[in-house]
């Protein structure tokens, strides 16, 4: 057998479906409502801060676990918002996006054979993250319409091999915001089985209808067993900057920092400086961000419902999961391909968010982190989509 092949690990997962949809979209000149990145400008103040840092020659490696001003800003803001004291030097590690923060955390805490509980539908990176770190994933399904989990099913997923559970709130792709009662149920299991909560909170500020984000680290007894993951990408509309971080208990920080160091050395130094400025924006910035996204959510909900999608209204994040059964296609992939090629709108097939359940085959996801003109153009193109009944 030739050795000129990929590793066993690399053959266990496929190319990202989301990024493939973006490429298909570019090929067909479609409106891209698949990959979650804004098509509007980032705030001027933070772009100026980034240019300023480059001009001021902040152009060499930052401290590997993150420039002090950014680490201190992360610690300060978390403490200010949630009342949990965070020590930047002992708990904050800046990474190349929350993607690398998640990977470094998993590689730092997982041994082969360890189990990790993952809710599905899940953000598609968590599957490959589990494989690359050697974890055995145990999936627990969030059930529509409110994306709730069955507490018995969750309890049955934990055992003495459980090392961690991955939580994502506000959630991609469902828009679910975990309630305090749900987080307490998860926390009880983490304490019982001595497991770590890895909490991806990248949509922390994108939350609607007056709901509050609750970090699981603030639940009783969880500060010492939670790694909170976040980043600049979504809150400041700078997905291309690749700056994220972990907030970990001091007992785990050393392992995360070592893995991070040898994976990437560090995130872009001038963009970390600008990140510290971003975290200092006034509270009104965050209130407006949520207001603007809530309006876009309502615009896209109206568009999709007029075009006969069944929508699950999100409470947070910037995606809408839809049911496509009424269109009469074989499955989500066939529908998503048709939609991008023949209608000119890119979505993400629901099955890419599921591993064990077939529930994704009746769904596609759209994102609404887009300008009004983009959403209006999608509306226009969707006129071509006819319900199966009328075909
Ligand atoms: C839940 C979730 N986590 C992480 C990321 C990636 O974030 P970053 O740009 O910080 O790597 C995304 C991007 O879509 C996401 O939806």
């Amino acid at each position: 057998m030739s050795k000129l092949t990929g590793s066993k690990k690399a053959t266990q997962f496929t190319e990202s479906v989301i990024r493939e949809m973006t490429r298909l979209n570019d090929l067909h000149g479609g409106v891209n409502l698949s990959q979650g990145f804004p098509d509007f400008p980032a705030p001027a103040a933070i772009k100026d801060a980034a240019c300023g840092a480059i001009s001021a020659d902040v152009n060499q490696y930052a401290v590997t676990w993150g420039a002090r001003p950014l680490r201190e800003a992360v610690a300060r803001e978390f403490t200010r918002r949630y009342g949990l004291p965070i020590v930047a030097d002992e708990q904050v590690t800046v990474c190349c996006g929350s993607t690398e923060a998640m990977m470094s955390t998993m590689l730092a805490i997982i041994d082969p054979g360890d189990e990790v509980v993952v809710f599905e539908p899940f953000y598609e990176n968590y599957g490959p993250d589990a494989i690359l770190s050697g974890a055995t994933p145990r999936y627990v399904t969030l059930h529509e319409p409110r994306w709730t989990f069955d507490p018995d099913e969750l309890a049955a997923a934990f055992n003495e091999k459980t090392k961690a559970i991955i939580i994502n709130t506000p959630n991609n792709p469902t828009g679910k915001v975990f309630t305090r009662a749900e987080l307490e149920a998860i926390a009880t299991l983490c304490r019982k089985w001595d497991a770590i909560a890895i909490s991806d909170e990248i949509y922390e500020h994108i939350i609607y209808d007056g709901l509050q984000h609750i970090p699981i680290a603030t639940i009783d007894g969880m500060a010492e067993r939670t790694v909170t993951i976040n980043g600049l990408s979504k809150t400041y509309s700078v997905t291309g900057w690749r700056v994220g971080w972990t907030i970990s208990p001091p007992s785990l920080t050393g392992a995360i920092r070592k893995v991070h160091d040898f994976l990437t050395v560090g995130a872009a130094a001038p963009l970390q400086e600008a990140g510290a400025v971003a975290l200092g924006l006034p509270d009104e910035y965050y209130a407006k961000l949520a207001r603007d996204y809530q309006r876009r959510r309502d615009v896209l909900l109206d568009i999709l419902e007029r075009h006969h999608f069944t929508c699950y209204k999100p409470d947070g994040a910037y995606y809408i999961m839809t049911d496509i059964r009424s269109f009469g296609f074989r499955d989500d992939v066939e529908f998503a391909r048709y939609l991008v090629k023949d209608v000119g709108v890119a979505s993400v097939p629901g099955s890419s968010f599921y591993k064990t359940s077939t529930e994704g085959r009746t769904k596609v996801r759209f994102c609404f982190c887009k300008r009004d003109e983009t959403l209006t153009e999608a509306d226009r193109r969707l006129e071509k989509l006819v319900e199966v009944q009328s075909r």
Side-chain angles (χ1 to χ4, degrees):
M1 247 263 283
S2 167
K3 290 183 188 156
L4 306 181
T5 57
S7 68
K8 286 201 187 78
K9 276 180 180 165
T11 54
Q12 280 173 48
F13 51 88
T14 56
E15 188 199 5
S16 157
V17 180
I18 299 181
R19 291 180 277 283
E20 184 201 338
M21 288 311 289
T22 290
R23 280 197 302 276
L24 263 183
N25 183 74
D26 292 347
L27 196 67
H28 295 286
V31 177
N32 190 356
L33 302 187
S34 62
Q35 198 177 356
F37 60 86
D39 67 351
F40 45 81
I46 72 167
K47 289 190 288 194
D48 291 348
C51 295
I54 291 173
S55 299
D57 254 321
V58 185
N59 293 318
Q60 310 308 327
Y61 301 123
V63 176
T64 188
W65 48 82
R68 177 170 295 281
L70 177 56
R71 276 185 298 119
E72 286 186 344
V74 167
R76 180 194 71 224
E77 289 304 302
F78 198 87
T79 303
R80 183 173 75 86
R81 283 205 175 84
Y82 305 113
L84 192 69
I86 303 294
V87 180
D89 272 345
E90 292 173 12
Q91 296 184 261
V92 180
T93 305
V94 176
C95 296
C96 298
S98 65
T99 299
E100 192 242 320
M102 177 63 78
M103 191 73 255
S104 289
T105 302
M106 301 267 285
L107 289 171
I109 66 170
I110 302 293
D111 282 316
D114 286 348
E115 294 188 3
V116 173
V117 179
V118 183
F119 288 107
E120 66 177 353
F122 50 80
Y123 171 55
E124 64 165 1
N125 280 31
Y126 302 156
D129 286 347
I131 293 165
L132 290 172
S133 63
T136 306
R138 295 282 303 258
Y139 294 97
V140 174
T141 306
L142 297 171
H143 299 287
E144 65 219 58
R146 297 297 300 154
W147 308 106
T148 42
F149 57 84
D150 172 348
D152 294 335
E153 206 184 318
L154 182 65
F158 278 74
N159 59 58
E160 60 288 340
K161 290 199 203 136
T162 308
K163 185 71 192 257
I165 177 168
I166 299 179
I167 301 150
N168 171 217
T169 183
N171 183 263
N172 171 12
T174 64
K176 175 187 177 65
V177 172
F178 282 70
T179 64
R180 180 171 294 279
E182 288 173 326
L183 295 172
E184 275 171 357
I186 296 167
T188 302
L189 290 165
C190 288
R191 289 190 304 261
K192 174 172 175 189
W193 295 104
D194 191 22
I196 297 166
I198 309 175
S199 188
D200 179 342
E201 300 180 8
I202 187 138
Y203 299 101
E204 172 188 12
H205 296 289
I206 303 178
I207 190 161
Y208 311 125
D209 305 319
L211 288 174
Q212 298 293 319
H213 170 67
I214 306 172
I216 194 166
T218 61
I219 305 277
D220 256 5
M222 290 305 287
E224 67 251 36
R225 57 175 68 253
T226 299
V227 180
T228 306
I229 288 178
N230 210 326
L232 299 180
S233 285
K234 312 291 177 175
T235 307
Y236 306 101
S237 306
V238 287
T239 57
W241 280 19
R242 317 307 307 127
V243 177
W245 54 84
T246 58
I247 303 175
S248 51
S251 60
L252 297 177
T253 302
I256 294 171
R257 285 183 176 176
K258 272 192 287 181
V259 173
H260 156 71
D261 187 5
F262 288 105
L263 275 180
T264 67
V265 177
L271 303 184
Q272 293 191 53
E273 294 298 314
V277 172
L279 269 95
L281 289 177
D283 285 340
E284 174 49 25
Y285 172 80
Y286 303 95
K288 182 170 183 321
L289 181 81
R291 271 199 312 274
D292 288 350
Y293 272 123
Q294 183 166 322
R295 194 187 55 77
R296 291 185 191 105
R297 173 197 68 173
D298 293 342
V299 168
L300 186 62
L301 271 176
D302 173 62
I303 293 171
L304 293 173
E305 280 169 357
R306 275 193 287 102
H307 294 291
H308 309 291
F309 288 86
T310 305
C311 296
Y312 302 102
K313 187 178 179 179
D315 290 331
Y318 49 47
Y319 308 94
I320 300 178
M321 272 291 245
T322 64
D323 188 296
I324 52 162
R325 266 174 285 200
S326 70
F327 298 109
F329 283 76
R330 195 182 57 217
D331 62 24
D332 58 322
V333 175
E334 189 184 79
F335 179 79
R337 290 233 161 93
Y338 162 80
L339 204 65
V340 68
K341 282 192 189 147
D342 294 11
V343 176
V345 176
S347 60
V348 181
S351 53
S352 59
F353 304 107
Y354 289 85
K355 183 72 181 176
T356 57
S357 162
T358 54
E359 286 180 36
R361 301 185 60 183
T362 55
K363 298 177 179 66
V364 300
R365 188 201 75 178
F366 295 91
C367 69
F368 54 85
C369 43
K370 304 294 170 188
R371 287 172 296 145
D372 285 354
E373 303 88 277
T374 309
L375 297 178
T376 305
E377 179 59 17
D379 189 8
R380 198 183 64 76
R381 290 180 183 219
L382 285 168
E383 294 292 339
K384 271 180 80 182
L385 179 66
V386 274
E387 259 192 299
V388 70
Q389 293 93 315
S390 54
R391 267 194 263 165

mmCIF file of all heavy atoms in Angstrom, residues 323-348:
data_model
loop_
_atom_site.group_PDB
_atom_site.id
_atom_site.type_symbol
_atom_site.label_atom_id
_atom_site.label_comp_id
_atom_site.label_asym_id
_atom_site.label_seq_id
_atom_site.Cartn_x
_atom_site.Cartn_y
_atom_site.Cartn_z
ATOM 1 N N ASP A 323 -37.393 23.980 7.932
ATOM 2 C CA ASP A 323 -37.843 22.656 7.500
ATOM 3 C C ASP A 323 -38.231 22.785 6.026
ATOM 4 O O ASP A 323 -38.938 23.716 5.640
ATOM 5 C CB ASP A 323 -39.045 22.234 8.343
ATOM 6 C CG ASP A 323 -39.434 20.799 8.073
ATOM 7 O OD1 ASP A 323 -39.839 20.492 6.918
ATOM 8 O OD2 ASP A 323 -39.334 19.982 8.984
ATOM 9 N N ILE A 324 -37.753 21.843 5.199
ATOM 10 C CA ILE A 324 -37.944 21.951 3.743
ATOM 11 C C ILE A 324 -38.831 20.848 3.189
ATOM 12 O O ILE A 324 -38.893 20.655 1.980
ATOM 13 C CB ILE A 324 -36.581 21.919 3.027
ATOM 14 C CG1 ILE A 324 -35.768 20.693 3.490
ATOM 15 C CG2 ILE A 324 -35.814 23.210 3.272
ATOM 16 C CD1 ILE A 324 -34.644 20.316 2.576
ATOM 17 N N ARG A 325 -39.521 20.120 4.078
ATOM 18 C CA ARG A 325 -40.298 18.959 3.611
ATOM 19 C C ARG A 325 -41.329 19.319 2.552
ATOM 20 O O ARG A 325 -41.577 18.550 1.636
ATOM 21 C CB ARG A 325 -40.974 18.272 4.791
ATOM 22 C CG ARG A 325 -40.125 17.125 5.312
ATOM 23 C CD ARG A 325 -40.699 16.535 6.541
ATOM 24 N NE ARG A 325 -40.475 17.411 7.686
ATOM 25 C CZ ARG A 325 -40.523 17.011 8.942
ATOM 26 N NH1 ARG A 325 -40.791 15.762 9.221
ATOM 27 N NH2 ARG A 325 -40.297 17.850 9.930
ATOM 28 N N SER A 326 -41.899 20.521 2.663
ATOM 29 C CA SER A 326 -43.000 20.840 1.744
ATOM 30 C C SER A 326 -42.521 21.011 0.303
ATOM 31 O O SER A 326 -43.328 21.020 -0.618
ATOM 32 C CB SER A 326 -43.710 22.114 2.206
ATOM 33 O OG SER A 326 -42.864 23.212 2.005
ATOM 34 N N PHE A 327 -41.201 21.135 0.093
ATOM 35 C CA PHE A 327 -40.720 21.326 -1.282
ATOM 36 C C PHE A 327 -40.580 20.013 -2.053
ATOM 37 O O PHE A 327 -40.359 20.015 -3.264
ATOM 38 C CB PHE A 327 -39.387 22.084 -1.275
ATOM 39 C CG PHE A 327 -39.510 23.461 -0.685
ATOM 40 C CD1 PHE A 327 -38.967 23.758 0.556
ATOM 41 C CD2 PHE A 327 -40.185 24.459 -1.361
ATOM 42 C CE1 PHE A 327 -39.092 25.019 1.110
ATOM 43 C CE2 PHE A 327 -40.318 25.735 -0.821
ATOM 44 C CZ PHE A 327 -39.767 26.015 0.423
ATOM 45 N N GLY A 328 -40.642 18.883 -1.350
ATOM 46 C CA GLY A 328 -40.682 17.588 -2.028
ATOM 47 C C GLY A 328 -39.356 17.101 -2.611
ATOM 48 O O GLY A 328 -39.355 16.296 -3.543
ATOM 49 N N PHE A 329 -38.233 17.578 -2.099
ATOM 50 C CA PHE A 329 -36.938 17.064 -2.584
ATOM 51 C C PHE A 329 -36.555 15.807 -1.816
ATOM 52 O O PHE A 329 -37.089 15.548 -0.739
ATOM 53 C CB PHE A 329 -35.861 18.134 -2.425
ATOM 54 C CG PHE A 329 -35.939 19.197 -3.482
ATOM 55 C CD1 PHE A 329 -36.917 20.187 -3.422
ATOM 56 C CD2 PHE A 329 -35.069 19.179 -4.565
ATOM 57 C CE1 PHE A 329 -37.013 21.152 -4.402
ATOM 58 C CE2 PHE A 329 -35.164 20.146 -5.548
ATOM 59 C CZ PHE A 329 -36.127 21.139 -5.468
ATOM 60 N N ARG A 330 -35.602 15.025 -2.384
ATOM 61 C CA ARG A 330 -35.228 13.773 -1.739
ATOM 62 C C ARG A 330 -34.618 14.036 -0.367
ATOM 63 O O ARG A 330 -34.953 13.404 0.618
ATOM 64 C CB ARG A 330 -34.243 13.005 -2.633
ATOM 65 C CG ARG A 330 -34.088 11.537 -2.230
ATOM 66 C CD ARG A 330 -33.071 10.846 -3.099
ATOM 67 N NE ARG A 330 -31.797 11.554 -3.008
ATOM 68 C CZ ARG A 330 -30.980 11.722 -4.031
ATOM 69 N NH1 ARG A 330 -31.262 11.240 -5.208
ATOM 70 N NH2 ARG A 330 -29.837 12.379 -3.877
ATOM 71 N N ASP A 331 -33.697 14.992 -0.314
ATOM 72 C CA ASP A 331 -33.084 15.321 0.982
ATOM 73 C C ASP A 331 -32.506 16.738 0.955
ATOM 74 O O ASP A 331 -32.626 17.453 -0.048
ATOM 75 C CB ASP A 331 -32.024 14.282 1.366
ATOM 76 C CG ASP A 331 -30.874 14.233 0.376
ATOM 77 O OD1 ASP A 331 -30.636 15.236 -0.318
ATOM 78 O OD2 ASP A 331 -30.211 13.184 0.289
ATOM 79 N N ASP A 332 -31.886 17.110 2.061
ATOM 80 C CA ASP A 332 -31.359 18.457 2.245
ATOM 81 C C ASP A 332 -30.251 18.810 1.257
ATOM 82 O O ASP A 332 -30.154 19.935 0.790
ATOM 83 C CB ASP A 332 -30.854 18.594 3.682
ATOM 84 C CG ASP A 332 -29.774 17.575 4.023
ATOM 85 O OD1 ASP A 332 -29.880 16.412 3.567
ATOM 86 O OD2 ASP A 332 -28.808 17.935 4.726
ATOM 87 N N VAL A 333 -29.417 17.804 0.918
ATOM 88 C CA VAL A 333 -28.287 18.087 0.026
ATOM 89 C C VAL A 333 -28.811 18.377 -1.380
ATOM 90 O O VAL A 333 -28.394 19.360 -2.021
ATOM 91 C CB VAL A 333 -27.282 16.903 0.019
ATOM 92 C CG1 VAL A 333 -26.172 17.131 -0.995
ATOM 93 C CG2 VAL A 333 -26.693 16.715 1.422
ATOM 94 N N GLU A 334 -29.766 17.553 -1.838
ATOM 95 C CA GLU A 334 -30.357 17.783 -3.161
ATOM 96 C C GLU A 334 -31.021 19.163 -3.204
ATOM 97 O O GLU A 334 -30.857 19.926 -4.149
ATOM 98 C CB GLU A 334 -31.397 16.688 -3.441
ATOM 99 C CG GLU A 334 -31.910 16.709 -4.870
ATOM 100 C CD GLU A 334 -33.011 15.673 -5.082
ATOM 101 O OE1 GLU A 334 -34.164 15.935 -4.681
ATOM 102 O OE2 GLU A 334 -32.700 14.617 -5.643
ATOM 103 N N PHE A 335 -31.725 19.499 -2.123
ATOM 104 C CA PHE A 335 -32.421 20.787 -2.075
ATOM 105 C C PHE A 335 -31.418 21.950 -2.081
ATOM 106 O O PHE A 335 -31.567 22.915 -2.835
ATOM 107 C CB PHE A 335 -33.308 20.865 -0.830
ATOM 108 C CG PHE A 335 -34.037 22.165 -0.706
ATOM 109 C CD1 PHE A 335 -35.184 22.414 -1.448
ATOM 110 C CD2 PHE A 335 -33.563 23.173 0.135
ATOM 111 C CE1 PHE A 335 -35.854 23.634 -1.352
ATOM 112 C CE2 PHE A 335 -34.222 24.391 0.228
ATOM 113 C CZ PHE A 335 -35.366 24.626 -0.503
ATOM 114 N N ALA A 336 -30.366 21.843 -1.249
ATOM 115 C CA ALA A 336 -29.394 22.949 -1.141
ATOM 116 C C ALA A 336 -28.651 23.148 -2.470
ATOM 117 O O ALA A 336 -28.380 24.283 -2.875
ATOM 118 C CB ALA A 336 -28.411 22.682 -0.011
ATOM 119 N N ARG A 337 -28.350 22.024 -3.159
ATOM 120 C CA ARG A 337 -27.675 22.143 -4.464
ATOM 121 C C ARG A 337 -28.598 22.835 -5.469
ATOM 122 O O ARG A 337 -28.179 23.709 -6.220
ATOM 123 C CB ARG A 337 -27.301 20.746 -4.984
ATOM 124 C CG ARG A 337 -26.193 20.108 -4.184
ATOM 125 C CD ARG A 337 -25.049 19.633 -5.104
ATOM 126 N NE ARG A 337 -23.833 19.458 -4.311
ATOM 127 C CZ ARG A 337 -23.477 18.297 -3.755
ATOM 128 N NH1 ARG A 337 -24.212 17.222 -3.945
ATOM 129 N NH2 ARG A 337 -22.378 18.229 -3.041
ATOM 130 N N TYR A 338 -29.884 22.421 -5.471
ATOM 131 C CA TYR A 338 -30.870 23.040 -6.364
ATOM 132 C C TYR A 338 -30.972 24.538 -6.060
ATOM 133 O O TYR A 338 -30.962 25.383 -6.961
ATOM 134 C CB TYR A 338 -32.229 22.345 -6.180
ATOM 135 C CG TYR A 338 -33.397 23.137 -6.712
ATOM 136 C CD1 TYR A 338 -33.699 23.139 -8.083
ATOM 137 C CD2 TYR A 338 -34.206 23.885 -5.852
ATOM 138 C CE1 TYR A 338 -34.770 23.880 -8.569
ATOM 139 C CE2 TYR A 338 -35.262 24.624 -6.331
ATOM 140 C CZ TYR A 338 -35.542 24.623 -7.682
ATOM 141 O OH TYR A 338 -36.592 25.365 -8.156
ATOM 142 N N LEU A 339 -31.018 24.844 -4.777
ATOM 143 C CA LEU A 339 -31.223 26.238 -4.374
ATOM 144 C C LEU A 339 -30.066 27.135 -4.826
ATOM 145 O O LEU A 339 -30.290 28.248 -5.286
ATOM 146 C CB LEU A 339 -31.386 26.298 -2.850
ATOM 147 C CG LEU A 339 -32.146 27.500 -2.320
ATOM 148 C CD1 LEU A 339 -33.599 27.473 -2.789
ATOM 149 C CD2 LEU A 339 -32.100 27.539 -0.796
ATOM 150 N N VAL A 340 -28.861 26.619 -4.734
ATOM 151 C CA VAL A 340 -27.735 27.481 -5.125
ATOM 152 C C VAL A 340 -27.588 27.515 -6.656
ATOM 153 O O VAL A 340 -27.337 28.571 -7.235
ATOM 154 C CB VAL A 340 -26.422 27.089 -4.395
ATOM 155 C CG1 VAL A 340 -25.875 25.757 -4.814
ATOM 156 C CG2 VAL A 340 -25.369 28.161 -4.564
ATOM 157 N N LYS A 341 -27.799 26.393 -7.322
ATOM 158 C CA LYS A 341 -27.573 26.358 -8.774
ATOM 159 C C LYS A 341 -28.728 26.997 -9.545
ATOM 160 O O LYS A 341 -28.514 27.756 -10.468
ATOM 161 C CB LYS A 341 -27.445 24.898 -9.239
ATOM 162 C CG LYS A 341 -26.095 24.293 -8.945
ATOM 163 C CD LYS A 341 -25.949 22.975 -9.684
ATOM 164 C CE LYS A 341 -24.707 22.247 -9.249
ATOM 165 N NZ LYS A 341 -24.857 20.797 -9.262
ATOM 166 N N ASP A 342 -29.967 26.633 -9.206
ATOM 167 C CA ASP A 342 -31.114 27.048 -10.029
ATOM 168 C C ASP A 342 -31.822 28.298 -9.516
ATOM 169 O O ASP A 342 -32.440 29.017 -10.287
ATOM 170 C CB ASP A 342 -32.147 25.902 -10.119
ATOM 171 C CG ASP A 342 -31.594 24.712 -10.884
ATOM 172 O OD1 ASP A 342 -30.382 24.711 -11.132
ATOM 173 O OD2 ASP A 342 -32.366 23.808 -11.227
ATOM 174 N N VAL A 343 -31.730 28.524 -8.211
ATOM 175 C CA VAL A 343 -32.421 29.686 -7.640
ATOM 176 C C VAL A 343 -31.412 30.804 -7.359
ATOM 177 O O VAL A 343 -31.726 31.980 -7.441
ATOM 178 C CB VAL A 343 -33.185 29.271 -6.345
ATOM 179 C CG1 VAL A 343 -33.832 30.472 -5.677
ATOM 180 C CG2 VAL A 343 -34.226 28.207 -6.663
ATOM 181 N N GLY A 344 -30.167 30.415 -7.022
ATOM 182 C CA GLY A 344 -29.123 31.407 -6.771
ATOM 183 C C GLY A 344 -29.066 31.878 -5.324
ATOM 184 O O GLY A 344 -28.711 33.025 -5.047
ATOM 185 N N VAL A 345 -29.409 30.999 -4.387
ATOM 186 C CA VAL A 345 -29.270 31.331 -2.964
ATOM 187 C C VAL A 345 -28.560 30.164 -2.283
ATOM 188 O O VAL A 345 -28.997 29.014 -2.397
ATOM 189 C CB VAL A 345 -30.643 31.579 -2.292
ATOM 190 C CG1 VAL A 345 -30.464 31.836 -0.794
ATOM 191 C CG2 VAL A 345 -31.370 32.750 -2.939
ATOM 192 N N ALA A 346 -27.464 30.465 -1.576
ATOM 193 C CA ALA A 346 -26.722 29.388 -0.894
ATOM 194 C C ALA A 346 -27.191 29.246 0.548
ATOM 195 O O ALA A 346 -27.351 30.233 1.263
ATOM 196 C CB ALA A 346 -25.232 29.683 -0.929
ATOM 197 N N SER A 347 -27.412 27.991 0.930
ATOM 198 C CA SER A 347 -27.794 27.663 2.310
ATOM 199 C C SER A 347 -26.862 26.530 2.747
ATOM 200 O O SER A 347 -25.976 26.126 1.996
ATOM 201 C CB SER A 347 -29.249 27.192 2.342
ATOM 202 O OG SER A 347 -29.385 26.035 1.523
ATOM 203 N N VAL A 348 -27.067 25.998 3.928
ATOM 204 C CA VAL A 348 -26.252 24.853 4.353
ATOM 205 C C VAL A 348 -27.179 23.659 4.617
ATOM 206 O O VAL A 348 -28.157 23.795 5.361
ATOM 207 C CB VAL A 348 -25.461 25.166 5.648
ATOM 208 C CG1 VAL A 348 -24.610 23.966 6.052
ATOM 209 C CG2 VAL A 348 -24.587 26.384 5.460
#
